[in-house]
Amino acid sequence: MTGKMKKYRHTAYDDAFRTVEQECPDALIHFINQIFGENYNRFDKVELLRNEHYTQTEGGEEVKKVTDSHFRIKTPKEVKNYHLECESSGYSKTILIRMLEYGVQDAIEDREVTHNKISIKFPKAGLVVLRDRGNPPNSAVIEFETPGGLVNYNVPIIRMRDYDINSLFSQKIYFLIPFYFFNQESRLKEYNNSKEEIEEFVELYCSIIERLKELPESELSLRSKGVIIKQMEQVIYRLAYKRKNIKDKVGDIMGGNVVKMDWLEKYDAAVEQAVEQGVEKAASKLLSKGKTVEEVAELLDMDIEKVQEIEKKMLVES
């Protein structure tokens, strides 16, 4: 495998992880409750944070480092920051160094400074290991020896190998469902080359979709179900990039030729409507601040006619 292809595949998994984090706050809250022993509910607010940090090398050069997941959860009583990393290659000690570097950067950026004191607060950190390589432990410790004494904190390590599809549902770890087929990776060749085996693959894939569909929306929103299903498709395409029969079957499933998927059209329509409403709101705000129709159209990549319609609507309502 070329370095370029390896980087592409790994980026695809990182993208899937970030997409679920950004688009599925309910699934993320269930996940955080499970791995950190929290007790958040669906009304608590997830606030995404900047995941780009800059550090300086010894030569003074700035280097950009990007975390996989960086957010905070707000309740009426408290606010906590979290940092998650997803590793598709397996486990290595260098990952802990990365976790520490990101934690330090987050703590520094969130610092509190007075005349004679600086207070930094590290985020709660967790690591997801998708492949069972490098003998991943179930937790790790980051320890500091300071002039004031020894300080350490625990980093839970979530190993995909520890979860079958039933435990992902029973423990409400819907967040990891797109990555479930990493546990089936060793069977992809069998699935691809045997008619009997590929039917078993189709049955498993469709059963996951049906189980997600049956979840009440108070448990997982329609939007989150759609995102998880679509990211599962993307992960399978990358895992099976050389397995044409599997990719064709996934295409048939997602196209509605194997299992009825018309309910997902509601998801697509909801997403499209939300995006459109968001763009219209942004356009209205820019127009109210004195931007011209042409400037708004260029800034938001919109048709001038559409911006003009929004402007007319604003004038009528005012």
Side-chain angles (χ1 to χ4, degrees):
M1 184 189 299
T2 66
K4 184 177 180 182
M5 176 59 77
K6 189 180 291 185
K7 181 179 179 183
Y8 169 68
R9 292 183 67 203
H10 291 179
T11 301
Y13 306 139
D14 292 340
D15 288 347
F17 194 85
R18 290 194 188 103
T19 299
V20 179
E21 177 222 28
Q22 293 167 6
E23 303 291 338
C24 309
D26 45 5
L28 181 59
I29 281 177
H30 284 309
F31 187 49
I32 293 303
N33 284 344
Q34 180 65 31
I35 65 175
F36 291 109
E38 305 285 16
N39 193 32
Y40 296 118
N41 62 54
R42 63 194 181 98
F43 301 107
D44 293 326
K45 184 176 180 180
V46 175
E47 181 180 322
L48 301 177
L49 301 174
R50 185 166 62 90
N51 64 353
E52 294 181 354
H53 303 285
Y54 291 86
T55 58
Q56 281 195 333
T57 64
E58 290 182 3
E61 180 184 358
E62 276 200 337
V63 178
K64 182 171 77 170
K65 298 190 175 184
V66 182
T67 63
D68 287 335
S69 179
H70 185 208
F71 57 94
R72 66 170 53 109
I73 299 179
K74 293 182 176 181
T75 73
K77 293 183 178 180
E78 61 182 351
V79 178
K80 291 182 182 178
N81 285 17
Y82 295 88
H83 163 223
L84 300 176
E85 286 296 311
C86 177
E87 185 56 55
S88 60
S89 299
Y91 178 78
S92 72
K93 290 182 287 187
T94 59
I95 297 173
L96 292 183
I97 298 172
R98 253 190 4 249
M99 299 286 293
L100 173 60
E101 288 175 340
Y102 296 150
V104 169
Q105 285 301 120
D106 180 66
I108 291 173
E109 290 172 10
D110 205 31
R111 67 191 179 273
E112 291 183 7
V113 183
T114 62
H115 182 62
N116 65 342
K117 180 181 177 182
I118 178 169
S119 298
I120 60 174
K121 186 177 181 180
F122 278 75
K124 287 194 168 187
L127 172 64
V128 177
V129 180
L130 299 178
R131 286 190 173 98
D132 189 27
R133 298 174 185 168
N135 190 28
N138 56 23
S139 68
V141 176
I142 293 180
E143 186 173 270
F144 304 89
E145 186 172 343
T146 75
L150 204 61
V151 180
N152 62 61
Y153 63 93
N154 186 63
V155 178
I157 297 178
I158 299 88
R159 303 174 298 193
M160 200 66 224
R161 74 177 189 201
D162 293 334
Y163 300 95
D164 60 20
I165 196 62
N166 290 325
S167 61
L168 290 178
F169 275 93
S170 65
Q171 296 179 43
K172 301 182 180 182
I173 310 179
Y174 313 121
F175 190 91
L176 291 184
I177 287 175
F179 308 100
Y180 168 69
F181 281 93
F182 272 88
N183 291 351
Q184 301 284 312
E185 191 173 14
S186 62
R187 297 196 60 193
L188 291 181
K189 184 177 180 181
E190 297 172 35
Y191 285 144
N192 191 71
N193 296 339
S194 164
K195 287 184 178 180
E196 293 77 15
E197 297 287 347
I198 203 163
E199 289 309 313
E200 181 182 334
F201 166 84
V202 169
E203 185 178 344
L204 174 59
Y205 198 100
C206 292
S207 71
I208 294 172
I209 292 174
E210 287 300 320
R211 289 179 75 168
L212 282 167
K213 177 184 176 182
E214 294 304 316
L215 289 172
E217 287 205 40
S218 58
E219 181 79 10
L220 199 66
S221 71
L222 178 63
R223 179 182 177 85
S224 292
K225 293 175 188 179
V227 170
I228 288 168
I229 290 170
K230 289 175 185 294
Q231 292 311 307
M232 182 169 67
E233 175 191 18
Q234 295 303 310
V235 169
I236 281 287
Y237 274 144
R238 300 302 178 261
L239 278 174
Y241 74 101
K242 287 185 177 179
R243 316 288 185 193
K244 183 179 183 302
N245 291 336
I246 290 177
K247 291 168 70 174
D248 287 348
K249 285 293 184 181
V250 170
D252 288 341
I253 293 168
M254 295 303 294
N257 298 326
V258 178
V259 60
K260 195 174 181 181
M261 299 282 280
D262 57 332
W263 63 279
L264 269 186
E265 292 177 6
K266 297 178 183 176
Y267 155 78
D268 291 326
V271 171
E272 186 176 339
Q273 183 181 21
V275 170
E276 187 174 337
Q277 288 175 345
V279 171
E280 288 186 6
K281 186 176 180 181
S284 299
K285 190 172 183 179
L286 289 170
L287 288 168
S288 67
K289 289 187 174 183
K291 294 287 185 182
T292 66
V293 168
E294 291 75 15
E295 287 172 331
V296 172
E298 184 176 354
L299 284 169
L300 299 179
D301 194 24
M302 296 176 66
D303 292 334
I304 287 181
E305 292 79 9
K306 180 64 178 176
V307 182
Q308 288 173 334
E309 288 178 16
I310 294 170
E311 186 181 44
K312 287 178 184 177
K313 186 178 177 182
M314 289 173 63
L315 291 171
V316 169
E317 291 176 350
S318 63

